[in-house]
Amino acid sequence: MPKIVNHEERREQIAEAMWRVILEKGMEGATVRNIAGEAGLSTGALRHYFKDQDELLVYAMRLVNERVEKRAMVILQEELPPKEKVIRVLLEIVPVDEERRAEMDVWFTFQAHIRHRKDLEGAPGHALGAAVSKLFDFLAYEGELKEELDIELEAERLYSIADGLALHAFLEPNRLRADTVETLIRDSVGRICK
Amino acid sequence: MPKIVNHEERREQIAEAMWRVILEKGMEGATVRNIAGEAGLSTGALRHYFKDQDELLVYAMRLVNERVEKRAMVILQEELPPKEKVIRVLLEIVPVDEERRAEMDVWFTFQAHIRHRKDLEGAPGHALGAAVSKLFDFLAYEGELKEELDIELEAERLYSIADGLALHAFLEPNRLRADTVETLIRDSVGRICK
């Protein structure tokens, strides 16, 4: 018997096919035909799940966000010191392996694309800044932050470091080493904590 | 008499027209027809200066780099303390005004595009990392760096901060304030100097 795949699972598979096409060919290659081919569907079958390319685009972007958020939530519920939780959440966002590198590549490609798509509704913005702010609130609540810290400035710095590293993993995948990323994240969080 | 424009000046004008089209419409809109229209030329006349869109693309990318480098060279030759020179060079790269913001927007759009253009020859890579390394060498030579600094780690941190800020000015132009950028750059350079 063939595996029964429900509607939502199929939508996720199509979004993942879109990610793979983008990684291979960029947004220019992310046509409905190419995505359907990658997903092993006809274009007609794909349209059963998404009425047009824009609906798929917004869904595929939201799915990147959701996956990252889910991984972050799992870490925050683990039995770990607060500082270690924050470090590990940041390491989930900054790509240190192939899977996360691909995710960031897709994410930047999406963001570059939607800059010039003012007609597109419902596309998620860049959410990392809000996430870093929440991590700061968490560290403050746990009493981990150093006294007399300029919190706004330090949040902006950590946010810049995290996204700068993510960008470099995207633009210079062969140069930036995973251990350098981890050392820099650990050191940068260490400096704001007691 | 009409102003006489030489060959190289005309090429620069066409590249600047390409930047404006990209800012308005993204890479998808950067067709030869649109660029020629923006430059006030026929497509035939444009082809007199660039044989195809790729030659123009590579030229327009190199021109962004050249302009930033020239501004950096001017600052480095000014009568300023070494630390102040480094801060001002970084502020030339990180967009704090409309002109630099547009430059960075064009730059990221180019970089996102060429990720998937393995056939394209001669496109410049992301040169900021090498520039930050040179700024560190300069500070070391001038005896400005703190003792016992992990130079590799600190260069990676400053590079991430600069590019993270540049990325945020690109993705969140309405959120990130110019004075926040300047405060963070000044503070981050201050921490590595005596």
Side-chain angles (χ1 to χ4, degrees):
Chain A
M1 249 175 68
K3 188 169 170 262
I4 295 167
V5 178
N6 74 25
H7 191 78
E8 198 51 33
E9 278 173 358
R10 181 68 84 191
R11 279 165 67 92
E12 290 197 14
Q13 286 171 1
I14 295 168
E16 288 166 1
M18 184 179 199
W19 298 349
R20 289 193 299 274
V21 171
I22 287 174
L23 285 174
E24 177 78 17
K25 297 175 179 156
M27 273 309 289
E28 293 93 290
T31 59
V32 169
R33 177 187 293 263
N34 284 345
I35 297 163
E38 176 68 30
L41 295 171
S42 68
T43 60
L46 191 149
R47 288 197 198 279
H48 176 64
Y49 296 96
F50 297 98
K51 74 175 193 310
D52 56 27
Q53 202 199 8
D54 282 353
E55 193 190 325
L56 170 53
L57 173 65
V58 170
Y59 179 87
M61 290 188 75
R62 290 186 178 277
L63 194 61
V64 180
N65 266 4
E66 264 175 39
R67 296 248 169 120
V68 176
E69 269 169 30
K70 262 188 204 163
R71 293 204 306 267
M73 289 311 295
V74 168
I75 293 167
L76 290 172
Q77 283 155 17
E78 279 175 25
E79 281 293 329
L80 288 168
K83 195 173 116 184
E84 187 64 24
K85 284 186 184 180
V86 168
I87 289 167
R88 295 206 188 176
V89 167
L90 288 171
L91 289 175
E92 275 299 323
I93 296 166
V94 176
V96 287
D97 59 25
E98 257 330 295
E99 188 195 336
R100 282 156 190 70
R101 210 188 295 276
E103 202 171 69
M104 194 53 66
D105 191 329
V106 167
W107 186 249
F108 279 125
T109 306
F110 278 140
Q111 291 291 336
H113 176 72
I114 64 166
R115 286 273 298 153
H116 307 281
R117 289 291 313 278
K118 291 181 184 69
D119 58 307
L120 192 70
E121 281 174 23
H126 193 58
L128 183 56
V132 171
S133 284
K134 277 188 202 158
L135 293 177
F136 263 80
D137 291 346
F138 171 68
L139 287 172
Y141 176 81
E142 296 283 345
E144 295 280 332
L145 290 182
K146 275 184 185 156
E147 312 288 336
E148 293 179 33
L149 214 56
D150 181 338
I151 294 198
E152 211 181 315
L153 187 73
E154 295 304 334
E156 201 71 49
R157 179 165 12 228
L158 192 60
Y159 177 31
S160 300
I161 291 171
D163 252 344
L165 287 172
L167 182 71
H168 298 157
F170 166 62
L171 294 179
E172 310 164 318
N174 299 322
R175 187 194 64 84
L176 190 62
R177 282 161 36 203
D179 62 337
T180 306
V181 171
E182 179 159 353
T183 304
L184 187 49
I185 292 284
R186 286 194 175 275
D187 184 84
S188 300
V189 173
R191 280 169 187 234
I192 56 173
C193 290
K194 281 174 188 163
Chain B
M1 250 176 66
K3 188 170 170 263
I4 295 166
V5 178
N6 74 26
H7 191 80
E8 199 50 34
E9 277 173 359
R10 182 67 84 191
R11 280 165 66 92
E12 290 196 15
Q13 287 173 359
I14 296 168
E16 288 166 1
M18 184 181 199
W19 298 349
R20 290 193 299 276
V21 171
I22 287 173
L23 286 174
E24 178 76 16
K25 297 175 178 156
M27 272 309 290
E28 294 93 290
T31 59
V32 169
R33 176 187 294 264
N34 284 345
I35 297 164
E38 176 68 30
L41 295 172
S42 68
T43 59
L46 192 148
R47 286 195 200 281
H48 176 64
Y49 296 96
F50 296 99
K51 74 175 195 307
D52 56 27
Q53 202 199 8
D54 282 353
E55 194 190 324
L56 170 54
L57 173 65
V58 169
Y59 179 88
M61 290 188 75
R62 289 184 179 276
L63 194 62
V64 181
N65 267 3
E66 263 174 39
R67 296 246 169 121
V68 176
E69 269 168 32
K70 262 187 205 164
R71 293 203 306 267
M73 288 311 294
V74 168
I75 293 166
L76 290 173
Q77 283 154 17
E78 279 174 24
E79 282 293 326
L80 288 168
K83 195 174 118 183
E84 188 63 25
K85 285 187 184 179
V86 168
I87 289 168
R88 295 206 188 174
V89 167
L90 288 170
L91 289 174
E92 274 299 322
I93 296 166
V94 176
V96 287
D97 59 25
E98 257 329 295
E99 188 196 336
R100 282 155 190 71
R101 212 188 295 276
E103 203 171 67
M104 194 53 67
D105 192 328
V106 167
W107 185 249
F108 279 126
T109 306
F110 277 140
Q111 290 291 335
H113 175 71
I114 64 166
R115 285 274 297 154
H116 307 282
R117 288 290 314 277
K118 290 180 186 71
D119 57 309
L120 192 70
E121 280 173 24
H126 192 56
L128 183 57
V132 171
S133 284
K134 277 187 203 160
L135 294 176
F136 263 80
D137 291 345
F138 171 69
L139 288 173
Y141 176 81
E142 297 283 345
E144 295 280 333
L145 290 181
K146 274 185 186 157
E147 312 288 336
E148 293 179 32
L149 214 56
D150 181 339
I151 293 197
E152 211 182 317
L153 187 74
E154 294 304 335
E156 201 73 48
R157 178 165 14 227
L158 192 59
Y159 178 31
S160 301
I161 290 171
D163 253 344
L165 287 171
L167 182 72
H168 299 156
F170 166 64
L171 294 179
E172 309 164 318
N174 299 322
R175 186 194 65 83
L176 189 62
R177 281 162 36 204
D179 62 336
T180 307
V181 171
E182 178 158 354
T183 305
L184 187 48
I185 291 284
R186 285 194 175 276
D187 185 84
S188 300
V189 173
R191 281 170 186 232
I192 56 173
C193 290
K194 280 173 189 165

